[in-house]
Amino acid sequence: MKQLSKGQFYGETNFRRSVDSLTLTDTVYTHDFVDWHYHETPYFTFLLQGGLTEGYKKERKNFTAGSILFHHWDECHYNHKPAGAARGFHLEIDHQFSKDYDLSLQNLQGNREIHDPSLKILFYRLMAESRSKDPFSEIVIQSSVLEIFSVLNSQSTVEEKRTPPWVGRVREILNEHDHASLSLNEIATILNIHPVHLSRSFKKYFHCTMGEYVRKIRIEKAVLDLLNSNQSLTTIAHDRGFADQSHLIRIFKAYLGMNPSSYKKMHKMLI
């Protein structure tokens, strides 16, 4: 079984940057099928375009643009790329980085899909920062990666305890209705729990208020629309539940540090 070295992926690499034992790679996948393999270092894949099917020892999963996957270094898998273009942004974490910053990967064993919209926004920011010529970009990249691990470890601490069934269900509801204005009472009725309990307990499991969580889902999906379609900002704002184009631009800039047109221009430069 083949082991891929750091920075090596099956496809055409658009861009690669190393920062403090971190390797950031942007790759267009060119192989329809990649046989069983594993990687030298633990890494994340942020699927930016197209689809990807991954097979593991006990299961096979399909992923679409916007998916974030984590693989530990010793986890073998195979890949199948459906017809059409596919592209991924990768973050590899060398052992030295984990050692220098006292990071534990204990809670990130195996293969794992990450659904948290705040982490997806962090990866969009990380992708943009990887191409920055700013002298402080290395610090921003390092701090963003540490923030990613902070969020993941806090989630794992909660998951170790008994998580009530409504947590998974409310995540599904909010992801499915990110563009709609469901009230707290409507969501609580669907879940069959008291709205006060839902409001008080939400932050314990999602580390933000419900309103903040929905806003993050909306902006994360708006970025995906921006990068993978020719829709106007007005259309994206309407489809993703923003008041208008100006509202979308304001929230976009708050989360990603630049306006949508600048971000899309940067994205095109990466291809």
Side-chain angles (χ1 to χ4, degrees), residues 14 26 28 49 87 131 227 266-271:
N14 292 321
D26 188 314
V28 174
Q49 182 181 9
R87 174 182 166 214
R131 290 294 293 243
L227 300 186
M266 177 278 303
H267 176 78
K268 288 182 176 179
M269 290 171 60
L270 295 172
I271 300 175

Side-chain angles (χ1 to χ4, degrees), residues 171-190:
R171 181 183 289 112
E172 292 174 0
I173 292 170
L174 295 178
N175 273 278
E176 291 170 2
H177 298 86
D178 64 284
H179 60 286
S181 297
L182 290 176
S183 70
L184 179 64
N185 281 334
E186 288 173 320
I187 296 172
T189 299
I190 295 171

Side-chain angles (χ1 to χ4, degrees), residues 28 32 36 49 79 99 111-112 139 211 213 233:
V28 174
D32 293 333
W36 289 96
Q49 182 181 9
N79 302 109
K99 183 179 178 181
N111 304 298
R112 173 176 175 179
I139 295 175
Y213 189 82
L233 286 181

